[in-house]
Amino acid sequence: MITRINPTLPYGFAKRSGVVLLEAGEVASVGLREGADPACLIEARRVLGRPLKIEHMDQATFDRYLSQIYAGDPLVTGDGDDLGLPGGGMPGGLDSLIDDMPAAADLLDTADDAPVIRLINGVIAEAVRAGASDIHLEPFENELTIRMRVDGVLRGALSLNPRITPLLVSRIKVMARLDIAEKRVPQDGRIPLALGGKTLDVRVSTLPSRGGERVVLRILDKAQADLDLNRLGMDPPVLEAFRAALTEPNGIILVTGPTGSGKTTSLYAGLSLLNDATRNILTVEDPVEYAIDGVGQTQVNTKVGMTFAAGLRAILRQDPDVVMVGEIRDAETASIAVQAALTGHLVLTTVHTNDAAGAITRLRDMGVEPFLLASTLRLIVAQRLVRRLCDECRRPEPADVATAKLAGVAVGQMVWRPHGCARCNQTGYVGRTGLYELIRVDDRVRRLIASEAGEEEIAAVAFAATDGGGRTLSQSARELVVAGVTSVEEAVRVARQETPQDAAHLEIPASPQGVAA
């Protein structure tokens, strides 16, 4: 391992000539790639202005040092707020950058790296402007496809010549401090970016595939994250129940839902409410998505044995008041979380289930005793994110028979449909809001959990309540449809996975000419 220095040899010269500066001193230590022309050392000595100490290295070693030394080159577009993207929109602004791309060239060569850097900057800048959460670089035999996930839905951005793939992938790997010489195994890294005054954290994941290395960039912009409970879209009864659970001195608050449903954002919002400098708040996460001042956040690293269970066990020795566990994945983590709640800690965590009642069964299946669950669980929240209709172009339409049955409204009642305009990029939707299904673990639910009742029985009791905990995800989605916040199609797309007890609970009398939903 080398100590990184500020390189004074241009990247293009180092790559072409096979010489890299390892250490700057009175005698500069340089690495010379196997097979490189020793004459390049004359030019290197002229540029550095000092004697050279030569270290010979093979191609793979040279590539690794090259990646490490030049990994700090920033992806910065400029000082303005326009994020430096010409044209101002997608795909026009990005298309103007493609014309400058070389058909084939060595990555980051001085003569050719500017178009590569500009294209990467342009793609990331457009993703930030569009509010995208992920950028996908997908190489195939005949094209390189770039797609962006906006409001939870992937949309195409660019289609490029597949020969550009190694240029873009290698540049991204250099910036993420990944091994550019290793293309056979997946790699993960991070890139801190400054774009138009915004500070971003970009998670990078590479995966070998038949057409080349696939790359997914997860964009984390704290400025766009709603870490305020009042901005999550919770109805007043749900918000009140969530706030009440956060005031409990101990117990477990569970948030469930699929990947990308906003579970972590909800937990962060809860932590922000508790973060008043009177509590010791510690988290163990994979990964740490947003830095919160005043909260001790620990990163999971399975390569060195730092699992959720190991991290949770360690932070319990740090005198915490509130503990957040990014996800309960195994029986050991579940057991430690329950023990932490029993010993006077408030535990916030997530688990992957389709609904709130399913979380109880999931923890039972992990081996947690029912009587322990009954005494520690305080609140279970299942959530989804549904796209909001664009206010400028949404259009009202009378509900036909099928739509009326899906939305739970009368035939002929007005519902809103997406249309598409410049503001929403012709999608008909702008932004997202939350759908929430909540189970308060009161005495009735606690007795059912202790007696190992099934999901159907627990849900029937929990959703029969009228104090804010009586709505399922599908009922919440239908209310947003009636209010014109979202469309029937979007509500069905997000909330269509119902368990049998939900379907029975949500059953709507069909009209005589009704059709199956």
Side-chain angles (χ1 to χ4, degrees):
M1 179 62 66
I2 64 171
T3 301
R4 192 184 177 281
I5 60 175
N6 183 27
T8 55
L9 292 177
Y11 184 94
F13 172 82
K15 179 68 177 179
R16 281 195 312 274
S17 303
V19 58
V20 62
L21 177 61
L22 301 178
E23 185 176 354
E26 293 185 3
V27 176
S29 176
V30 298
L32 184 65
R33 184 183 60 206
E34 183 180 42
D37 185 359
C40 66
L41 296 174
I42 300 175
E43 178 65 13
R45 177 166 181 169
R46 184 192 69 79
V47 172
L48 297 173
R50 66 198 73 184
L52 303 181
K53 176 184 176 182
I54 313 302
E55 179 180 337
H56 296 274
M57 53 185 62
D58 58 26
Q59 179 70 50
T61 304
F62 176 84
D63 285 341
R64 275 193 290 272
Y65 280 147
L66 191 72
S67 175
Q68 292 172 1
I69 292 173
Y70 290 88
D73 290 355
L75 287 176
V76 182
T77 60
D79 297 327
D81 292 330
D82 60 352
L83 302 178
L85 182 63
M90 185 177 67
L94 297 181
D95 288 341
S96 66
L97 298 173
I98 300 174
D99 297 335
D100 296 332
M101 287 295 299
D106 197 5
L107 73 103
L108 300 181
D109 190 285
T110 301
D112 298 312
D113 64 343
V116 176
I117 296 173
R118 284 200 301 269
L119 180 60
I120 293 174
N121 285 349
V123 169
I124 296 177
E126 180 58 37
V128 172
R129 179 180 291 125
S133 61
D134 301 87
I135 303 172
H136 292 239
L137 278 69
E138 303 169 332
F140 299 101
E141 185 175 349
N142 297 318
E143 66 176 353
L144 169 64
T145 300
I146 298 179
R147 297 194 291 171
M148 300 179 184
R149 188 177 295 279
V150 180
D151 292 336
V153 178
L154 279 172
R155 64 172 69 163
L158 289 174
S159 180
L160 304 175
N161 191 310
R163 290 181 295 176
I164 298 176
T165 300
L167 299 176
L168 298 181
V169 173
S170 295
R171 175 67 190 183
I172 292 172
K173 290 171 77 172
V174 165
M175 304 314 299
R177 292 183 170 88
L178 302 180
D179 188 352
I180 62 174
E182 181 57 78
K183 302 179 180 180
R184 300 167 298 175
V185 298
Q187 298 187 64
D188 296 290
R190 304 178 83 99
I191 308 175
L193 293 183
L195 290 174
K198 286 178 174 286
T199 300
L200 308 174
D201 188 20
V202 179
R203 294 209 314 259
V204 179
S205 173
T206 70
L207 179 69
S209 69
R210 186 174 64 89
E213 287 185 277
R214 294 173 61 99
V215 179
V216 174
L217 308 177
R218 167 67 57 92
I219 301 174
L220 301 174
D221 183 0
K222 187 175 181 179
Q224 291 184 351
D226 289 328
L227 301 183
D228 184 350
L229 277 177
N230 297 317
R231 297 171 59 89
L232 296 183
M234 292 182 177
D235 290 328
V238 176
L239 180 59
E240 180 185 352
F242 198 72
R243 286 179 177 273
L246 290 171
T247 62
E248 294 281 349
N250 55 63
I252 297 176
I253 298 175
L254 269 180
V255 181
T256 79
T259 301
S261 60
K263 300 187 300 297
T264 302
T265 300
S266 295
L267 291 183
Y268 277 173
L271 291 183
S272 298
L273 184 67
L274 296 172
N275 187 21
D276 57 2
T278 66
R279 299 176 177 88
N280 182 22
I281 303 175
L282 299 177
T283 76
V284 53
E285 308 171 57
D286 184 22
V288 175
E289 296 196 5
Y290 299 108
I292 303 178
D293 293 336
V295 177
Q297 297 171 275
T298 302
Q299 168 77 49
V300 166
N301 187 350
T302 56
K303 294 180 181 178
V304 296
M306 183 63 172
T307 62
F308 276 115
L312 179 55
R313 191 181 295 109
I315 64 178
L316 288 178
R317 295 192 289 268
Q318 294 280 312
D319 185 32
D321 298 297
V322 180
V323 174
M324 188 189 98
V325 184
E327 181 185 345
I328 293 181
R329 296 177 178 174
D330 52 49
E332 185 180 10
T333 307
S335 175
I336 299 173
V338 169
Q339 292 301 321
L342 287 172
T343 53
H345 304 88
L346 182 63
V347 180
L348 283 68
T349 187
T350 71
V351 65
H352 284 282
T353 59
N354 288 330
D355 55 19
I360 298 171
T361 303
R362 176 85 175 111
L363 291 176
R364 267 197 319 233
D365 291 343
M366 287 184 180
V368 181
E369 293 291 343
F371 71 90
L372 293 178
L373 283 179
S375 60
T376 56
L377 283 178
R378 298 291 180 265
L379 186 76
I380 307 172
V381 180
Q383 70 179 69
R384 301 287 192 277
L385 292 177
V386 62
R387 291 184 294 172
R388 302 176 65 98
L389 285 168
C390 176
D391 293 332
E392 295 186 6
C393 66
R394 62 176 185 167
R395 293 183 175 179
E397 291 182 4
D400 57 22
V401 174
T403 301
K405 182 175 178 63
L406 286 172
V409 299
V411 176
Q413 181 174 335
M414 289 297 176
V415 294
W416 296 88
R417 299 278 188 182
H419 180 64
C421 64
R423 176 174 179 261
C424 61
N425 199 28
Q426 306 303 324
T427 63
Y429 300 94
V430 175
R432 291 188 288 179
T433 190
L435 299 177
Y436 297 93
E437 174 181 287
L438 181 144
I439 293 180
R440 288 182 179 182
V441 184
D442 54 18
D443 289 338
R444 298 170 304 163
V445 176
R446 192 171 291 114
R447 285 193 294 269
L448 291 174
I449 296 174
S451 62
E452 301 188 41
E455 291 182 35
E456 296 85 352
E457 192 175 352
I458 294 174
V461 171
F463 297 132
T466 59
D467 56 356
R471 290 189 307 171
T472 65
L473 288 169
S474 294
Q475 288 173 322
S476 298
R478 287 168 178 160
E479 290 187 8
L480 292 182
V481 170
V482 173
V485 176
T486 191
S487 66
V488 176
E489 296 84 357
E490 179 68 7
V492 172
R493 181 184 72 86
V494 173
R496 66 173 176 261
Q497 290 185 339
E498 301 173 357
T499 58
Q501 71 271 18
D502 291 331
H505 182 65
L506 297 174
E507 186 175 352
I508 299 174
S511 56
Q513 65 273 37
V515 296

